């Protein structure tokens, strides 16, 4: 009897259990370069336009010259690369969710930062923005470990309203770009600018309709490239900044001035940070399901710490509020490549791009009308994402309909009537003057009113009567 017991232990039949015990999870798989490089390129293509959008918009709004725009874009790429590497590779048990998760400056903070810029003195816009961003980063680090308990105050109804308002309130930006970018210029809105923006938009639509695979994923970048080429014969593309941009240089700490801390600006960005934390948490949960890896509270806390660290340290070099990139979650779902090392490679590529400002200068050379045509697609897709979230939030309930209607109305007021809050104190103008902040505040308060305050007592009465 002893021989049959020992024989199978040495035989091949025991190999499958041993292999199963030592099998590497797809998230932790180190795939060969032949697969890693193309997969990483797809992630870069999906996120690149989104990474450079915040510095492009904010830089234009505060009147930076070509050199300043180059530094701002390089800083955005550098911080995105560092944050993505920290998120995917982790730092012990403190930070990093160790999922194929991309972190970079979020478009959700653009509108509040534009409002801060408009209410700040010339030359002090970026210091005011960076002061608020630093505090928002500290806020994220402080609230992150307890954020799971706050998620119930940010259901899809609230996040859907905020995401929709992000897209809607940003739409005037690409419209202004399509008209030439400079509202004070004599040829602002000239047909040549509108034609170039329309051409860019048509190219993006054609690629999206007829492209396949990787080509379809880079429709936005391809459209911008085609639009820039089309602008050259008409003298609408200026490449002079390439000659003055340094080939390699690290961002200088506080190159745009020491941060200033304005209470109203801080409040508006802390509200946005709550929304970003909600989006990051939802993205981690979704990615955990796609990758078939449990995403518990500890994982979410480590992921949010990464957001907080990147948001806190980003302004030192010129970065903005950092969060998850939902489009890259879609890339993982589409490609079925779940290795976190693929996204880490993409983060390393962003880090390299940020260390070579001349590459950022290439992006800043894209003509304003071209950015306008692409921006309509980019910001419109953000609004669509919010609408999709609202569609899944139970709008068949009359209370939810009222909540969304009033919150959207409050968020659109600054867009429809920019001078509506002119008689309010300056701090209120900063908060309410941003459609995102105003809509988020109203949505959270109405969610408390309809779904939290007094609900326990009403439920108790209903149970007793039944």
């Amino acid at each position: 009897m002893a021989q049959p017991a020992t024989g199978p232990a040495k035989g091949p039949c025991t190999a499958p259990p041993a292999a199963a015990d030592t099998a590497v999870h797809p998230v932790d798989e180190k795939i060969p370069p032949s697969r890693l490089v193309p997969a990483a390129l797809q992630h870069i293509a999906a996120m690149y336009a989104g990474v450079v959008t915040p510095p492009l918009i904010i830089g234009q709004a505060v009147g930076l010259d070509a050199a300043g725009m180059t530094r701002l874009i390089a800083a955005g790429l550098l911080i995105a690369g560092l944050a993505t590497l920290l998120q995917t590779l982790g730092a012990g048990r403190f930070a990093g969710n160790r999922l194929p998760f991309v972190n970079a400056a979020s478009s959700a903070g653009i509108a509040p930062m534009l409002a801060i810029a408009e209410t700040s003195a010339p030359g002090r816009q970026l210091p005011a923005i960076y002061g608020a961003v630093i505090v928002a980063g500290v806020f994220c680090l402080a609230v992150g470990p307890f954020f799971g308990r706050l998620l119930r105050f940010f259901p899809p109804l609230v996040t859907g309203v905020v995401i929709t308002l992000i897209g809607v309130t940003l739409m005037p930006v690409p419209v202004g770009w399509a008209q030439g970018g400079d509202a004070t210029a004599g040829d602002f809105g000239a047909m040549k600018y509108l034609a170039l923006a329309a051409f860019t938009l048509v190219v993006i639509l054609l690629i999206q309709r007829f492209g396949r695979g990787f080509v379809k994923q880079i429709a936005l970048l391809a459209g911008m490239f085609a639009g820039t080429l089309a602008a050259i014969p008409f003298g609408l593309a200026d490449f002079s900044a390439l000659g003055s941009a340094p080939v390699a240089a690290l961002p200088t700490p506080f190159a745009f001035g020491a941060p200033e801390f304005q209470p109203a600006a801080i409040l508006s960005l802390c509200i946005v940070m709550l929304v970003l934390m909600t989006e990051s948490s939802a993205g981690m949960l979704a990615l955990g399901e796609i990758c078939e890896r449990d995403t518990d509270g500890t994982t979410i806390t480590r992921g949010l710490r990464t957001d907080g660290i990147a948001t806190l340290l980003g302004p030192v070099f010129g970065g903005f509020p950092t969060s998850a990139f939902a489009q890259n979650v879609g890339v993982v779902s589409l490609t079925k490549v779940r290795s976190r090392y693929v996204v880490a490679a993409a983060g390393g590529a962003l880090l390299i791009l940020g260390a070579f400002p001349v590459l950022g200068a290439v992006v800043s050379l894209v003509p304003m009308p071209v950015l306008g045509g692409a921006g309509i697609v980019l910001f419109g897709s953000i609004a669509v994402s919010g609408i999709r979230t609202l569609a899944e939030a139970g709008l068949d309930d009359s209370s939810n309909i009222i909540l969304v209607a009033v919150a959207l109305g409050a968020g659109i007021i600054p867009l429809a009537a920019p001078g509506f809050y002119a008689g309010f104190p300056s701090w209120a103008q900063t908060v309410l003057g941003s459609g995102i902040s105003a809509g988020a505040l109203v949505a959270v308060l109405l969610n408390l009113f309809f779904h939290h305050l007094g609900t326990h007592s009403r439920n108790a009465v209903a149970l007793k009567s039944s």
Side-chain angles (χ1 to χ4, degrees):
M1 296 297 292
Q3 291 179 350
T6 56
K10 299 178 181 179
C13 64
T14 56
D21 292 338
T22 60
V24 177
H25 193 281
V27 170
D28 300 316
E29 181 184 4
K30 296 181 179 179
I31 63 179
S34 59
R35 291 177 55 204
L36 184 144
V37 173
L41 285 175
Q42 290 186 85
H43 278 282
I44 293 172
M47 68 174 143
Y48 192 83
V51 171
V52 300
T53 293
L56 276 174
I57 296 176
I58 301 301
Q60 290 287 340
V62 300
L64 291 182
D65 56 13
M69 291 291 296
T70 298
R71 289 200 302 268
L72 207 61
I73 292 171
L77 293 168
L78 184 73
I79 297 301
L82 289 172
T84 300
L85 285 171
L86 178 60
Q87 194 71 277
T88 53
L89 302 180
R93 297 183 178 180
F94 181 72
N97 57 29
R98 293 175 176 83
L99 292 170
F101 205 69
V102 173
N103 278 72
S106 172
S107 296
I110 293 176
M113 288 189 290
L114 289 177
I116 295 171
E118 290 175 0
T119 57
S120 300
R124 308 308 304 166
Q125 297 102 323
L126 283 177
I129 290 172
Y130 286 141
V133 174
I134 288 173
V135 177
V138 175
F139 176 74
C140 179
L141 288 173
V143 175
F146 314 101
F147 189 68
R149 303 174 188 175
L150 300 176
L151 281 176
R152 62 195 183 103
F153 299 115
F154 292 86
L157 274 175
V158 175
T159 56
V161 166
V162 175
I163 297 170
T164 302
L165 286 173
I166 290 171
V168 172
T169 57
L170 287 175
M171 196 53 66
V173 175
V175 171
W177 288 349
Q179 295 175 284
D182 185 3
T184 62
D187 60 349
F188 182 73
M191 187 55 65
K192 60 181 180 180
Y193 297 139
L194 299 179
L196 185 56
F199 172 78
T200 303
L201 178 58
V202 168
V203 171
I204 294 172
L205 294 176
L206 289 175
I207 295 174
Q208 191 67 33
R209 171 64 179 84
F210 298 106
R212 293 291 182 271
F214 179 70
V215 174
K216 189 173 183 178
Q217 290 179 358
I218 63 170
L220 206 65
L221 286 176
M224 293 169 65
F225 180 73
T228 302
L229 290 180
I232 295 175
F234 300 97
L236 299 178
D238 181 12
F239 295 90
S240 60
L242 280 177
S244 60
V247 175
L250 292 177
T252 304
F254 300 116
F256 301 100
E260 297 179 0
F261 301 95
Q262 301 177 4
I266 290 170
L267 176 59
S268 64
L269 282 192
C270 284
I271 292 172
V272 170
M273 201 68 220
L274 284 172
V275 175
L276 295 184
M277 292 167 70
T278 304
E279 289 182 2
S280 277
S281 299
M284 283 183 263
L285 291 171
L287 197 56
E289 292 182 4
I290 293 170
C291 296
E292 298 179 353
R293 167 167 281 187
D294 292 336
T295 305
D296 55 14
T298 302
T299 302
I300 291 177
T301 297
R302 290 201 307 263
L304 293 178
R305 280 204 187 106
T306 303
D307 289 354
I309 292 170
T311 302
L312 170 62
L313 299 180
V316 176
F317 301 102
F320 298 114
T322 299
S323 182
F325 263 38
Q327 55 264 51
N328 291 89
V329 176
V331 172
V332 175
S333 178
L334 288 172
T335 62
K336 309 301 181 185
V337 179
R338 295 175 282 180
S339 172
R340 59 191 171 103
Y341 296 103
V342 168
V343 176
L350 290 178
L351 188 62
I352 294 172
L353 290 171
F356 290 88
V358 68
L359 299 174
V362 172
V363 179
S364 67
L365 298 176
V366 178
M368 285 291 106
V370 173
L371 287 174
I376 289 173
V377 178
L378 179 64
F379 300 139
S381 64
I382 296 174
V384 170
S385 177
I387 293 171
R388 183 169 61 243
T389 302
L390 288 174
E392 301 170 356
L395 291 183
D396 52 340
D397 181 85
S398 60
S399 296
N400 292 344
I401 293 175
I402 293 296
L403 185 156
V404 173
V406 175
L408 284 178
I412 292 175
I413 285 176
L415 187 66
F420 187 83
Y421 297 109
F424 284 56
S426 59
W427 64 266
Q429 291 184 41
T430 302
V431 176
L432 300 177
S434 164
I436 298 172
S437 299
L441 277 174
V442 172
V444 169
L445 292 175
L446 289 182
N447 180 57
L448 287 170
F449 177 71
F450 283 119
H451 301 300
H452 292 276
L453 297 179
T455 54
H456 294 294
S457 60
R458 288 201 301 269
N459 292 338
V461 172
L463 288 172
K464 185 176 181 180
S465 62
S466 62

